[in-house]
Amino acid sequence: MTRPIVEVEGLTKRFAVGGGLLQKPRPLHAVDGVDLHVNEGQTFAIVGESGCGKSTLARLLMRLLEPSEGRIRVAGRDISDLAGADLRALRRDVQFIFQDPFSSLNPRLSVGRLVGEPLEAHRPEMSSRDRRSEVARLLAQVGLRPEHMDRYPHEFSGGQRQRIGIARALASGPKVLIGDEPVSALDVSVQAQVVNLLGDLRDRLGLTLIVIAHDLAVIRQMSDRVGVMYLGRIVETGPTDTIFEAPRHPYTRALLAAIPGPDGGHGGPGLSGETPSPLDPPSGCHFRTRCPHAQSRCAEIRPALEETGQGSQVACLRWREIAGDGQAAPPRSARSDGAEIRFRLYREALAQKENTKKTQQETKT
Amino acid sequence: MNETAATDPVLSKRPQSRVWRKLRGHRSAMFGAVLVGMFVLLALAAPILPVPDPAAVDWTAIRQPPSAAHWLGTDELGRDQLSRMIWGARASLMAGVVSVGIAIVIGVPLGIIAGYFGGWTDAVISRCTEALLAIPFLILAIALAAFLGPSLTNAMIAIGIAATPVFIRLTRGQAINVASEDYVESAHAIGLSTGVILRRYIFPNVLPPILVQATLTVASAIIAEASLSFLGLGQQPPAPSWGAMLNVAKGFMTQAPWMALWPGIAIFLVVLGFNLLGDGLRDALDPRED
């Protein structure tokens, strides 16, 4: 299960911004030399502020965008230069769940058509009757009713539409599912259902999930590994528990410290200032302009990801000093207690919701 | 099964077409539809209606005012005006619908290609469109019709080509909008081919404003056909068309004003009908107005 299914090396995406008759366009580094690997059957979460390039990264992995540099391998096959029919064939194995369930479904196609389309594209030999029954099975798998097949997206609620999107993504039988903020557009109560659905499907179908998110509670709940992104770079990556319990990068610490809790926050250094423009990123370490630990050498050297010895990797020149510095380290015990209570409550709420849903379904049938 | 369907919030609602419901509630649109429908029925029923041959000359009854024998009077050759109006409706409505059909068949695919692919394709198509748009619609139609030769078919082709640039422009803008929608990206993510995306995702979603434009253009195409016939470039005598009838009537304005009156009223009513229908369609297709 620890075989890497998605491997990324030095992935870079530059967009040309502005430019005109007498003006050269400026390069915007949306994704800047990202290395990462995702193991089969795991959930990998990419987290960061808006504008840090996480959606671009997801679209690069999906090859909805052309990488400027770097390599992407899926199941050992290099997909960085695929085009035309080969690229379409890749869509069988890698699928995408969109953030906004309202705008990502063609309003003029029925649910049956929407979910059946990937089957049409990837299994053209299928008869339309077989396709219909397969669509019914897919709808049931995501908790919808086969009778919903002839309805149109606008008749459904946000959560139901996201389920339609998931059924559509599952139709081709993918190995990897990439979700770009799959729950952030949904109501909180519905978020939990969709998060659980994704977890269930992953276990049942042996999927690998790559989830883009900014909600840390959601990430902790559903992911095995986390990559923290800042201005187009991965600054820290590792097992979810390690990252949450022992964050090494000052940015990760600031993010975790910003989680509101029942005990009124955790203190620790918050973030001041704004994210610099990716058009004009700071030299060296991108985070240095907002980092409480920045020194002059942070402006000169771009930190590479280093092993911390706890399974995680961090891109910071001073992570050892910072970790030893009791002052700057987040108050571990306080965080753990608060976090534990919150996560326990969250899990209980989820379990309860699931139970009531099950009993409801049982009474229905 | 029925019980569960009743408790399901989606399945308990009857599927219905919002657009149709809104259109039905739109009074002026329905008035326009009735007007247009009436003329279409008249035109279709022309062969079975008990009216004389529109080309039958009667030298004993020239330029007669409306009477019991000739409800709408007769023209300078004694032909029954009512019959000519009814048969003329065929030419006028055909000219309107066929020429707009030509404009849509040429314009919409070009617009979709320009808007979806962008770049050089777009630049070439757009510059040509702009060049054509620089020439006034009627002047272009007259020039083309004169070039193709006088006949109703050629007039329809000329009007169709003259109306095409508007559809290219409209479709292109709409296609650019639709192409940036999430659901088009989702079609790429699914692995659909470009042809399928254009046909199933872009085309149906650019269609509503084009339908509206089509009803409005039908109105101006009918006027254009009348103008071309008036100039002798459209329907050829003795076959009737409203424009051709007006053309002849202008010589007898003082002696027989009814000759100009009926085709004028008919053109006015049909154009009004199509315009009202188009306005109503635009409102009904706009999801912001509910």
Side-chain angles (χ1 to χ4, degrees):
Chain A
M1 281 305 255
T2 49
R3 200 162 59 93
I5 188 160
V6 177
E7 296 160 279
V8 172
E9 272 170 43
L11 192 62
T12 299
K13 177 67 187 176
R14 284 183 296 266
F15 292 108
V17 177
L21 204 54
L22 300 170
Q23 214 183 352
K24 261 177 112 176
R26 297 161 70 195
L28 183 151
H29 288 257
V31 172
D32 188 6
V34 163
D35 301 317
L36 60 88
H37 65 97
V38 180
N39 291 335
E40 198 169 353
Q42 283 196 330
T43 302
F44 187 86
I46 300 167
V47 60
E49 289 170 278
S50 52
C52 73
K54 48 193 200 300
S55 288
T56 307
L57 179 59
R59 279 169 174 73
L60 287 170
L61 295 178
M62 186 69 210
R63 280 301 315 278
L64 285 171
L65 289 174
E66 204 77 15
S68 308
E69 278 165 40
R71 301 272 114 200
I72 307 164
R73 275 194 298 278
V74 172
R77 191 162 69 117
D78 192 329
I79 62 156
S80 331
D81 301 318
L82 291 185
D86 291 336
L87 186 59
R88 284 201 291 278
L90 169 74
R91 311 296 191 208
R92 188 192 257 265
D93 293 336
V94 186
Q95 270 301 329
F96 204 82
I97 301 171
F98 285 82
Q99 172 173 13
D100 185 349
F102 290 86
S103 65
S104 59
L105 298 173
N106 186 347
R108 286 170 207 285
L109 293 183
S110 68
V111 171
R113 289 289 297 280
L114 284 166
V115 178
E117 271 192 324
L119 298 169
E120 261 174 67
H122 297 291
R123 287 159 78 181
E125 74 286 351
M126 214 179 211
S127 75
S128 61
R129 244 200 29 234
D130 289 351
R131 195 156 58 221
R132 237 182 121 75
S133 61
E134 175 68 9
V135 168
R137 191 188 65 77
L138 286 160
L139 288 178
Q141 193 170 46
V142 298
L144 291 170
R145 303 166 59 87
E147 294 89 334
H148 286 142
M149 217 184 285
D150 301 315
R151 299 307 180 115
Y152 285 82
H154 72 262
E155 300 178 55
F156 292 87
S157 68
Q160 285 176 312
R161 286 190 212 196
Q162 198 58 305
R163 286 170 192 267
I164 297 168
I166 294 171
R168 182 168 150 92
L170 290 176
S172 61
K175 299 190 183 96
V176 180
L177 213 51
I178 300 175
D180 179 14
E181 304 255 17
V183 298
S184 67
L186 305 175
D187 289 345
V188 179
S189 60
V190 182
Q191 280 188 358
Q193 292 173 12
V194 173
V195 165
N196 286 348
L197 173 67
L198 285 172
D200 282 355
L201 291 170
R202 182 193 69 171
D203 297 339
R204 204 141 32 104
L205 306 174
L207 298 171
T208 304
L209 293 182
I210 300 177
V211 179
I212 311 289
H214 62 251
D215 186 334
L216 293 159
V218 168
I219 285 169
R220 177 124 210 207
Q221 171 71 20
M222 67 185 300
S223 66
D224 302 304
R225 288 172 60 84
V226 183
V228 181
M229 252 184 121
Y230 186 78
L231 269 187
R233 293 178 183 170
I234 299 263
V235 294
E236 186 165 7
T237 174
T240 306
D241 288 337
T242 313
I243 300 284
F244 273 78
E245 297 304 330
R248 294 299 178 201
H249 196 281
Y251 179 61
T252 317
R253 292 171 172 235
L255 272 188
L256 293 176
I259 303 178
D263 48 352
H266 312 284
L271 274 184
S272 57
E274 280 183 30
T275 318
S277 162
L279 273 172
D280 187 19
S283 62
C285 173
H286 277 173
F287 187 58
R288 67 177 168 82
T289 50
R290 297 167 80 191
C291 180
H293 310 284
Q295 291 178 333
S296 59
R297 64 183 172 128
C298 293
E300 286 149 25
I301 308 165
R302 172 178 174 172
L305 280 171
E306 274 180 62
E307 291 292 340
T308 61
Q310 287 165 300
S312 64
Q313 295 169 298
V314 59
C316 177
L317 297 173
R318 300 192 60 209
W319 70 269
R320 283 190 184 81
E321 304 160 47
I322 297 168
D325 177 5
Q327 280 280 301
R332 281 283 298 280
S333 54
R335 172 195 308 287
S336 297
D337 287 352
E340 270 318 304
I341 293 167
R342 267 184 296 115
F343 288 125
R344 208 188 62 231
L345 287 172
Y346 184 57
R347 274 193 289 268
E348 279 172 9
L350 284 186
Q352 205 176 357
K353 197 150 277 159
E354 277 302 291
N355 281 337
T356 51
K357 209 171 73 190
K358 264 181 205 147
T359 47
Q360 267 175 7
Q361 271 170 357
E362 277 157 19
T363 51
K364 267 186 199 170
T365 49
Chain B
M1 219 39 138
N2 285 334
E3 292 165 51
T4 44
T7 54
D8 187 295
V10 174
L11 291 176
S12 58
K13 265 183 285 182
R14 260 187 59 232
Q16 53 176 339
S17 166
R18 189 178 51 81
V19 172
W20 176 233
R21 194 187 68 223
K22 272 166 77 175
L23 194 61
R24 254 190 337 200
H26 200 292
R27 275 186 160 183
S28 60
M30 287 330 281
F31 179 64
V34 167
L35 265 183
V36 170
M38 215 174 66
F39 278 102
V40 169
L41 270 181
L42 265 183
L44 288 177
I48 56 164
L49 286 177
V51 290
D53 180 355
V57 177
D58 180 1
W59 294 106
T60 61
I62 55 170
R63 289 206 306 269
Q64 292 201 339
S67 65
H70 303 284
W71 289 3
L72 301 183
T74 60
D75 67 2
E76 84 288 2
L77 299 176
R79 296 175 295 198
D80 183 62
Q81 285 281 76
L82 177 64
S83 165
R84 286 183 74 74
M85 285 300 304
I86 292 170
W87 285 90
R90 298 195 132 198
S92 291
L93 289 174
M94 266 255 286
V97 174
V98 172
S99 54
V100 168
I102 292 172
I104 286 177
V105 167
I106 305 175
V108 171
L110 280 175
I112 287 179
I113 288 168
Y116 183 78
F117 292 103
W120 278 105
T121 332
D122 180 26
V124 170
I125 294 175
S126 291
R127 291 305 89 74
C128 294
T129 309
E130 277 155 26
L132 281 177
L133 272 176
I135 311 168
F137 171 64
L138 199 54
I139 308 279
L140 184 58
I142 290 170
L144 285 169
F147 173 73
L148 290 168
S151 82
L152 184 62
T153 317
N154 286 344
M156 290 194 284
I157 295 172
I159 297 168
I161 294 174
T164 301
V166 176
F167 284 94
I168 298 180
R169 272 285 279 269
L170 182 69
T171 313
R172 173 183 170 271
Q174 202 60 25
I176 290 174
N177 273 339
V178 173
S180 64
E181 291 281 352
D182 278 356
Y183 56 76
V184 175
E185 196 180 24
S186 95
H188 285 290
I190 289 294
L192 297 179
S193 63
T194 308
V196 174
I197 293 178
L198 291 183
R199 210 155 6 95
R200 202 179 290 166
Y201 281 75
I202 308 286
F203 176 68
N205 285 297
V206 301
L207 210 52
I210 292 166
L211 279 180
V212 175
Q213 180 65 41
T215 58
L216 300 177
T217 308
V218 165
S220 41
I222 287 173
I223 296 176
E225 191 278 331
S227 312
L228 288 183
S229 294
F230 182 83
L231 295 171
L233 290 167
Q235 181 78 300
Q236 294 305 298
S241 101
W242 296 343
M245 289 167 77
L246 269 183
N247 184 20
V248 173
K250 75 172 190 294
F252 306 100
M253 279 302 263
T254 45
Q255 301 98 313
W258 58 88
M259 278 174 67
L261 194 63
W262 309 124
I265 289 176
I267 291 171
F268 167 74
L269 287 179
V270 167
V271 170
L272 179 74
F274 272 109
N275 273 322
L276 289 177
L277 188 60
D279 276 346
L281 259 185
R282 181 173 49 210
D283 292 346
L285 289 169
D286 189 346
R288 284 166 302 183
E289 285 182 34
D290 237 335

